Amino acid sequence: AQEEHSPCLFQFREDGFLVLEHFFTAEECDSMRNAIQRIIAEMEVPPHCRTEFSTKEEEQLQAQGSSDYFLTSGDKIRFFFEKGVLDERGNFLIPKEKSISKIGHALHAHDPVFKQITHSSKVQELGRKLGLERPVVVQSMYIFKQPGIGGEVTPHQDATFLHTEPLGRVLGFWIALEDATQENGCLWFIPGSHTNGITRRMVRAAPGTSTCVEFVGSEPAYDDSQFIPLPISKGGLILIHGEVVHKSELNSSDSSRHVFTFHVMEAKDTSWSKENWLQPTPELPFPSLYT
């Protein structure tokens, strides 16, 4: 119980986030960057990105194609691109490694480097300090935040996308693989905003609809002045409570802001919503964080 008194964890419960500088070494960060370069080198452009845009009906099929690509990415390594990087024939207008927005959602299961980091003894020890009894890994993503085009991420709560009963069971681990600054799109948080529940959920749409997911409820208008920036240096870890409100701005600088992030759920006495876009599969049940 002495862990409850650790100033760090008290801070996390107060704010809904916690910054741990230099949690990973520069070498560990570089090993992840190298691993992702190998994955990109072997990447085939997804078919839904290559289809030509044409009739309305085909556009709907295209949207369906890309939505299936997204919906079935939970147990695979898949590629998602920034807007405007492909021409109408699906050819890259800029080098492919500069065009990717993110890669997800099962790097932690399929790539040895990301698996090792996700289940590293440091992460497991932190899980125990946080009092997690049966944590499982639900998803992981590599986010590029490309220079000049890395889009803004509007204010949101992770539990909007990863809903549990009860709430408060999802935790994000966000690892800076390069310095994250106000110029290149670091995270911004509203301290203490994790205590008010959620007002919006993204759920799987009914089969046969043209979109794969829909939003229920709405995001309130947040007061910009309440957000504080959390710049962090390479190797730093930000713990993110599932209900804390956070965002990041457009990266208008000329340096990227690579991040590896994964989400953990406390599985003890928790039910994962059947309406979440992401579902465990027979091929990949959510693996235990503890090994």
Side-chain angles (χ1 to χ4, degrees):
Q2 77 280 8
E3 282 151 0
E4 283 297 320
H5 301 300
S6 124
C8 279
L9 299 186
F10 174 75
Q11 203 62 50
F12 177 68
R13 297 199 167 92
E14 284 288 284
D15 292 337
F17 58 83
L18 179 64
V19 176
L20 299 169
E21 285 280 11
H22 309 298
F23 191 83
F24 289 98
T25 64
E27 292 72 32
E28 287 170 315
C29 293
D30 294 342
S31 73
M32 288 186 264
R33 295 198 61 181
N34 294 335
I36 218 73
Q37 289 310 319
R38 288 195 299 275
I39 288 170
I40 293 171
E42 291 162 15
M43 166 184 82
E44 294 289 324
V45 183
H48 74 85
C49 295
R50 283 200 294 257
T51 31
E52 290 196 29
F53 303 92
S54 41
T55 68
K56 267 281 172 275
E57 189 180 344
E58 278 177 31
E59 255 173 59
Q60 280 167 347
L61 291 172
Q62 156 120 355
Q64 191 60 54
S66 61
S67 64
D68 288 342
Y69 185 80
F70 168 71
L71 273 191
T72 55
S73 67
D75 59 358
K76 301 181 187 68
I77 295 179
R78 289 205 161 156
F79 304 91
F80 302 92
F81 297 89
E82 290 290 356
K83 290 187 181 71
V85 298
L86 296 159
D87 66 17
E88 63 278 7
R89 289 190 189 79
N91 298 321
F92 287 105
L93 297 165
I94 57 176
K96 65 181 181 178
E97 64 278 4
K98 292 267 188 279
S99 64
I100 302 179
S101 160
K102 62 182 189 184
I103 297 179
H105 289 88
L107 288 160
H108 61 282
H110 297 311
D111 182 273
V113 172
F114 293 104
K115 186 176 197 170
Q116 197 278 317
I117 292 285
T118 303
H119 297 278
S120 60
S121 52
K122 292 186 265 207
V123 169
Q124 296 192 35
E125 192 183 319
L126 183 53
R128 293 197 166 92
K129 275 194 181 146
L130 290 160
L132 301 175
E133 291 183 55
R134 281 183 37 217
V136 296
V137 185
V138 298
Q139 69 159 12
S140 56
M141 282 188 295
Y142 192 106
I143 303 170
F144 293 82
K145 201 75 163 179
Q146 302 281 4
I149 60 169
E152 68 170 325
V153 177
T154 54
H156 67 283
Q157 299 164 289
D158 292 343
T160 285
F161 308 96
L162 308 171
H163 191 268
T164 58
E165 296 278 335
L167 282 171
R169 297 288 205 257
V170 167
L171 180 62
F173 289 71
W174 192 95
I175 305 158
L177 305 185
E178 307 179 87
D179 294 351
T181 64
Q182 284 196 46
E183 291 68 47
N184 74 2
C186 70
L187 294 180
W188 295 66
F189 287 80
I190 299 182
S193 57
H194 60 303
T195 56
N196 307 326
I198 59 170
T199 56
R200 188 172 72 132
R201 284 186 58 188
M202 185 173 91
V203 298
R204 286 184 169 235
T209 33
S210 65
T211 57
C212 59
V213 291
E214 55 198 11
F215 285 98
V216 179
S218 59
E219 204 66 76
Y222 295 110
D223 174 358
D224 265 352
S225 67
Q226 292 190 305
F227 283 92
I228 63 160
L230 290 193
I232 188 165
S233 49
K234 176 176 175 172
L237 169 72
I238 302 181
L239 278 180
I240 303 175
H241 187 286
E243 282 97 83
V244 75
V245 178
H246 58 292
K247 66 175 183 177
S248 68
E249 305 289 348
L250 173 79
N251 179 4
S252 47
S253 79
D254 51 16
S255 58
S256 55
R257 190 222 67 187
H258 288 204
V259 163
F260 176 58
T261 176
F262 58 92
H263 283 88
V264 164
M265 169 179 72
E266 167 64 271
K268 183 175 189 263
D269 304 328
T270 308
S271 67
W272 180 255
S273 171
K274 291 272 183 273
E275 294 186 302
N276 285 339
W277 76 266
L278 175 81
Q279 294 296 326
T281 63
E283 293 73 35
L284 184 61
F286 294 151
S288 170
L289 180 68
Y290 300 149
T291 48

